[in-house]
Amino acid sequence: MAKYLLGLDAGNTVIKAVIFDLEGRELAHAAEEGHSRMPCPGHVERDLGELWANAKRVIRTCLDKANIAASEIAAIGCAGHGNGLYALDRDGQPLIAIQSLDTRATGLVEEWAAEGVGDRTAPIARQRPWPSQTPTLLAWLKRHRPDLFQRIGTVFFSKDFVVNRLTGSRVSEVSDMSGAGLLDLAARRYDKALMAAYGLAESMHMLPPLIESADIAGYVTQEVATETGLAAGTPVVGGLFDVVASALGSGVSRTGSASIIAGTWSINQVIIDGPDLDGPVFMSSTFDRSRYMAMENSATSAANLEWLVREFFEDEHPEGVSPFDAACALAAAVAPAADDPLYHPFLYGAQQNGHARAGFYGMAGWHTKGHLIRALLEGVAFGHRQHIETIRKAGANFEEAVLSGGGSRSRLWPQIFADVLGVPVTVAVSRETGALGAAIAAGTGVGLFADFTEGATAMVRTDRHYQPNAVLSAHYATRYRLYTDINEAMTPLWRRLSEAQSLATGVAA
């Protein structure tokens, strides 16, 4: 009997392959970093040929490391970043891949807001348009790149592209499609009125056949088996929106459970029984065959620390020490104080404000590099808190949370999250929660587990617990109010800055 599961995780920057046994232990891991290109300000794209080449490489490397027969892998699951826009032409060849950090459609979102487009999409998709949302980008291409738009045969997502290359199947599944605002959420199906609201009534044919996350999408082809070392005929399931996969892979599987992901995006989500809440949230997606995930998300999380380390720390850390660990050690050495600087984590804009920009506020001559790093760690946590307050106002309450993503690897940052949020925070053993969630979906799809909860119970283990410090929670409550006040004051100035930059770009052109 096959006794292992392969989980793939196709993020905005890195694709990973991890082989797990049925108790969640990692046999082998491989990762490959891709490259984004930015042809214009606000445009963030990637090369699909590179993505597939990297996927094949990590699969083969992982198999070689595991030293098992490929036939021992029972099934494959893939997670991937949601939204953005990945398109094949009508012949099934790669056409364009826009990542979920893209803000080119900010102006279109503002135009639609004035026209009330969100009032028409929200009752159906439980979501309003935002800049890097898939239908928004598709509408932008229709307006600004009509030549390319006319060539599109299939619109789907990063993990769907990997599944397509593995199996030849052109399909997508409900968690990604619902997270992108492309489904009637309650009915879990495509909707003509919804597409018409986006101005895309003629684009229904671009949406591929829809399956559930644990349904089998296809089987590894002989050609791919030769290229990767996989066994031809290995089942591949539809997979998961990566934030849902990370929640599942960190052990969040029961109604009312909360998952916080400090990755490229700030993800804050709670499992709910039905598609509706008492108030609006940024987006909702499916979780399993009957339940849903209420989410408040934005591109405002650990990508900020990645930027700071890349630009200022990669060459300034002790040999053998990760630059991220070195940066967090400097932050940990700083005793929190009322006059510490504040940081806004808007390197890639804010949730509904593509004009927003990052910034440090309140710096003084006595502040050190450690103060700035700590301000950044706190600012990211404040961004998460802002989203969580929206979720709670909508009626999705919780008393504790599981933290995953790159931010969970720090020993300091989870404690800051616990103190800022005022709830206990748990970190799972596995660092590769997205790949593990995908593997759990794969195991469910081939009958190794009855459902996601049984799979999570079998494969997820807890590593660390953090309790909030009452004194620091009060300190952060005061600083959070300053954070939000500065945010509000800066909003009109960010718009003016964006307009000035657009004018300067036009003059230069």
Side-chain angles (χ1 to χ4, degrees):
M1 174 182 171
K3 53 188 177 182
Y4 302 107
L5 296 165
L6 172 60
L8 303 174
D9 187 356
N12 267 299
T13 53
V14 177
I15 183 163
K16 304 171 185 176
V18 189
I19 295 175
F20 300 93
D21 69 15
L22 300 187
E23 294 181 349
R25 290 185 289 259
E26 295 181 14
L27 270 73
H29 168 278
E32 194 79 34
E33 187 165 4
H35 300 88
S36 298
R37 65 184 192 92
M38 302 180 186
C40 301
H43 294 221
V44 187
E45 300 178 4
R46 75 193 313 176
D47 181 272
L48 284 171
E50 179 193 64
L51 174 58
W52 176 232
N54 288 349
K56 290 188 289 186
R57 193 174 299 117
V58 296
I59 291 169
R60 181 170 287 281
T61 300
C62 198
L63 281 167
D64 290 345
K65 287 182 177 179
N67 194 30
I68 62 171
S71 58
E72 293 184 277
I73 294 177
I76 301 169
C78 189
H81 81 78
N83 285 278
L85 188 151
Y86 287 65
L88 305 179
D89 67 17
R90 293 175 183 177
D91 295 324
Q93 296 305 306
L95 186 59
I96 190 171
I98 302 173
Q99 295 174 263
S100 63
L101 300 172
D102 194 281
T103 59
R104 73 184 71 186
T106 296
L108 179 59
V109 169
E110 292 173 345
E111 178 184 319
W112 280 358
E115 296 172 353
V117 171
D119 295 336
R120 298 194 292 276
T121 65
I124 304 170
R126 308 324 192 256
Q127 191 175 147
R128 292 175 179 271
W130 51 283
S132 58
Q133 183 199 46
T134 306
T136 304
L137 288 168
L138 188 59
W140 188 95
L141 290 176
K142 179 182 175 182
R143 178 181 296 188
H144 297 283
R145 295 287 307 278
D147 54 332
L148 187 148
F149 178 82
Q150 291 299 327
R151 294 168 57 198
I152 296 174
T154 302
V155 169
F156 52 14
F157 306 93
S158 62
K159 63 102 171 58
D160 297 332
F161 174 74
V162 176
V163 170
N164 168 258
R165 298 291 108 168
L166 286 169
T167 67
S169 300
R170 275 198 255 182
V171 300
S172 190
E173 53 72 50
V174 291
S175 70
D176 249 337
M177 280 292 177
S178 57
L182 281 165
L183 294 189
D184 176 333
L185 190 64
R188 303 164 79 98
R189 67 183 179 218
Y190 298 132
D191 185 87
K192 291 181 180 179
L194 177 62
M195 291 295 281
Y198 293 121
L200 297 168
E202 80 282 25
S203 303
M204 289 289 291
H205 70 279
M206 298 179 184
L207 303 177
L210 190 65
I211 62 176
E212 290 286 336
S213 304
D215 288 347
I216 294 175
Y219 301 86
V220 172
T221 66
Q222 184 59 61
E223 179 183 357
V224 169
T226 301
E227 293 177 329
T228 62
L230 290 168
T234 303
V236 181
V237 300
L240 291 162
F241 184 4
D242 64 351
V243 299
V244 177
S246 288
L248 180 60
S250 64
V252 175
S253 65
R254 300 183 186 281
T255 300
S257 300
S259 163
I260 296 171
I261 306 172
T264 301
W265 274 62
S266 164
I267 307 297
N268 311 274
Q269 49 192 354
V270 179
I271 299 174
I272 56 178
D273 282 328
D276 295 311
L277 289 164
D278 298 331
V281 293
F282 177 57
M283 72 167 63
S284 294
S285 80
T286 62
F287 175 73
D288 56 19
R289 293 182 184 274
S290 61
R291 293 178 296 163
Y292 297 81
M293 190 75 89
M295 302 184 199
E296 272 289 316
N297 310 339
S298 62
T300 57
S301 196
N304 287 270
L305 183 61
E306 292 171 4
W307 166 81
L308 191 74
V309 167
R310 182 182 69 244
E311 296 297 330
F312 302 105
F313 284 90
E314 280 194 337
D315 300 324
E316 297 184 18
H317 57 91
E319 186 176 351
V321 176
S322 155
F324 293 96
D325 291 342
C328 287
L330 289 175
V334 172
D339 71 343
D340 286 344
L342 288 155
Y343 177 75
H344 279 153
F346 306 140
L347 285 176
Y348 299 98
Q351 184 194 84
Q352 295 287 352
N353 182 7
H355 300 297
R357 292 293 177 265
F360 287 98
Y361 303 90
M363 289 187 292
W366 55 86
H367 289 138
T368 66
K369 196 179 290 186
H371 286 94
L372 297 185
I373 300 165
R374 187 169 191 111
L376 185 148
L377 300 181
E378 293 173 357
V380 167
F382 290 149
H384 280 266
R385 173 170 171 168
Q386 197 162 24
H387 290 319
I388 285 167
E389 288 186 349
T390 299
I391 290 176
R392 283 180 163 153
K393 286 178 184 175
N397 293 308
F398 60 92
E399 301 301 326
E400 58 184 6
V402 178
L403 180 68
S404 59
S408 68
R409 300 178 187 181
S410 163
R411 294 282 168 169
L412 171 64
W413 219 349
Q415 185 63 59
I416 290 175
F417 269 91
D419 295 336
V420 167
L421 302 178
V423 298
V425 168
T426 297
V427 175
V429 168
S430 177
R431 293 184 172 185
E432 304 304 338
T433 53
L436 179 53
I440 291 170
T444 304
V446 295
L448 294 174
F449 311 119
D451 53 28
F452 286 174
T453 297
E454 183 176 296
T457 300
M459 296 187 72
V460 179
R461 290 171 290 155
T462 297
D463 182 23
R464 290 170 276 142
H465 296 280
Y466 296 84
Q467 291 293 328
N469 179 303
V471 173
L472 283 175
S473 289
H475 165 76
Y476 285 132
T478 299
R479 287 176 58 74
Y480 175 69
R481 288 192 292 272
L482 289 172
Y483 169 94
T484 55
D485 288 346
I486 295 171
N487 188 350
E488 184 176 344
M490 286 298 297
T491 296
L493 300 179
W494 285 323
R495 179 182 294 275
R496 287 172 56 189
L497 176 63
S498 179
E499 290 170 350
Q501 289 172 334
S502 296
L503 180 61
T505 300
V507 171

